[in-house]
Amino acid sequence: MRKRTTRLIGAVGSLALAGTLAACGSSSSDSTAPLSNAAAASDAKHPEWSKYTFTIGDNGGDGSQELAKITGVFGNAPYKVKFARFTYGPPLVQAAASGDIDLGSVGDVPPITGAAKEYSFKVVAVNRSLTPTQSNENIIVPKGSKLKTAADLKGKKIAVPQGSSAHGLALNALNSVGLTPKDVKLTFLDPAAGATAFSTGKVDAWSIWNPQSAIAVKNGARILVKGLPPIDQTSSYYVASDTSLKDKTKRAALTDVLKRLSREFAWAVKNPDQYAQALSKEQGIPLADAKASLAAYSNRVTPVEQSDIELEQKLADAFLEAGQITKNVDVKSITDNLLPAGYDSSKLKVTS
């Protein structure tokens, strides 16, 4: 595993491996932890799962690792889990395709760009925002900018993490005012480089998600375009390794992993102070900034529905038409639900 990890870090340059949480680990077996008995009776006894260690892709510090420690949600799991940190979605999808991670959550665009590159993975669930009227990402401009609308972006330089959900926001925002990527200067930068370019005036605008957007606005930036329907989705998507999905026994265990993850996030929504602390620690940001962006992380996990496939297909077609991908993507063919119909993590009973 060490050799494989080294290869992955060298390939994507945006991953940090975190520790393993074992079923008997001190951080996850505390019987006083609120979710230490998270599994349903039918899921609790599976000795055949003991051979598995699942790697969960943590996209940008979403709180999953810290919440696992706080809640003990994997405390009685018959398998082990560990976390791998990514700065944004495209490398996470690549890691799922290569089998370096088993499961992870990304925005709406990475599954499309990953499929266009013929990566082997599947979309297995949806993270739906509990605050769908609040944007999770925005196109922002610096304090004092004269830009007032999306149409004013013509000829301007926009920082965008390539292949990310923010890339989709930029594309759709331009399209909404009759512009194409050829009418602007898209500057593809990862989030850290984008932050530097934006703060030093090297770009005119930045398409980015929270907490980066919220922090920039707090420091004087202004939202030019909000990432809300019909321009943008407020959902994100869980992707999983084809290797894990094709093995019947491993697939069943991975479904249990996803259910436990959804349970810890359901608990976090009902315990916002601890949720903010988890985000603050994972992202290395002040607690006040974590609280300001908390709504962006408040989601409910459900199966993928036909409406999701249609939205993703529309986005994939837009990317192809705009020349941002070179291969047609059939979203239905990369969808493989892990959760049963009707599953909704917001309806789970969790101890606060």
Side-chain angles (χ1 to χ4, degrees):
M1 186 68 190
R2 182 180 180 88
K3 180 179 179 182
R4 190 164 146 198
T5 299
T6 303
R7 173 178 57 79
L8 182 59
I9 293 174
V12 303
S14 58
L15 173 148
L17 287 178
T20 302
L21 292 177
C24 298
S26 60
S27 64
S28 59
S29 61
D30 185 353
S31 61
T32 64
L35 301 181
S36 57
N37 295 312
S42 60
D43 293 331
K45 296 180 180 179
H46 281 280
E48 72 275 18
W49 294 355
S50 63
K51 61 185 177 181
Y52 298 133
T53 297
F54 290 103
T55 303
I56 301 169
D58 176 346
N59 191 1
D62 60 9
S64 55
Q65 183 184 0
E66 285 302 311
L67 288 172
K69 296 176 183 178
I70 293 168
T71 65
V73 73
F74 292 104
N76 64 353
Y79 47 76
K80 297 178 182 180
V81 299
K82 59 184 178 181
F83 295 83
R85 183 73 44 78
F86 294 80
T87 57
Y88 67 129
L92 189 153
V93 172
Q94 183 181 353
S98 65
D100 286 287
I101 67 167
D102 299 282
L103 183 71
S105 179
V106 296
D108 53 0
V109 173
I112 292 168
T113 53
K117 294 178 180 178
E118 299 185 331
Y119 291 163
S120 181
F121 71 95
K122 291 293 188 296
V123 177
V124 296
V126 182
N127 252 329
R128 303 185 190 282
S129 175
L130 289 171
T131 55
T133 59
Q134 180 168 332
S135 58
N136 297 334
E137 58 189 5
N138 305 287
I139 298 178
I140 57 177
V141 294
K143 182 179 180 180
S145 171
K146 295 181 180 180
L147 305 185
K148 301 298 182 183
T149 70
D152 296 331
L153 290 169
K154 186 174 183 178
K156 303 300 181 183
K157 187 178 291 187
I158 310 169
V160 179
Q162 186 173 22
S164 70
S165 60
H167 189 174
L169 169 58
L171 182 65
N172 286 341
L174 294 172
N175 185 60
S176 71
V177 292
L179 299 178
T180 73
K182 295 180 180 180
D183 296 313
V184 299
K185 299 175 183 177
L186 292 181
T187 303
F188 293 127
L189 300 171
D190 65 34
T196 299
F198 184 76
S199 63
T200 57
K202 293 182 179 179
V203 295
D204 302 292
W206 186 21
S207 187
I208 196 63
W209 47 79
N210 287 326
Q212 289 92 332
S213 174
I215 293 172
V217 169
K218 179 183 175 182
N219 293 330
R222 175 169 49 84
I223 295 176
L224 185 73
V225 180
K226 290 185 176 181
L228 292 172
I231 291 177
D232 198 21
Q233 294 187 50
T234 57
S235 295
S236 56
Y237 296 86
Y238 275 102
V239 296
S241 162
D242 263 352
T243 303
S244 297
L245 294 172
K246 289 177 180 178
D247 182 307
K248 184 177 180 180
T249 303
K250 196 170 187 180
R251 180 189 178 96
L254 187 62
T255 301
D256 187 69
V257 174
L258 179 55
K259 286 181 176 179
R260 288 175 189 259
L261 274 176
S262 73
R263 186 173 290 275
E264 77 170 17
F265 284 121
W267 179 90
V269 168
K270 295 183 179 180
N271 294 269
D273 288 343
Q274 287 174 280
Y275 199 179
Q277 289 172 8
L279 292 172
S280 173
K281 184 172 182 179
E282 284 196 8
Q283 297 177 6
I285 61 175
L287 183 59
D289 290 338
K291 289 182 176 179
S293 61
L294 195 61
Y297 295 91
S298 298
N299 300 305
R300 59 189 181 95
V301 182
T302 77
V304 184
E305 298 177 356
Q306 180 60 32
S307 58
D308 302 308
I309 294 174
E310 291 172 358
L311 282 172
E312 282 289 275
Q313 189 62 59
K314 183 178 179 180
L315 186 58
D317 294 344
F319 260 70
L320 182 64
E321 183 179 351
Q324 301 299 286
I325 56 175
T326 57
K327 179 180 174 59
N328 182 58
V329 171
D330 178 10
V331 175
K332 187 176 181 180
S333 70
I334 61 166
T335 302
D336 186 4
N337 270 315
L338 273 182
L339 299 171
Y343 184 93
D344 186 336
S345 65
S346 68
K347 298 178 180 179
L348 298 174
K349 294 181 179 180
V350 293
T351 304
S352 59

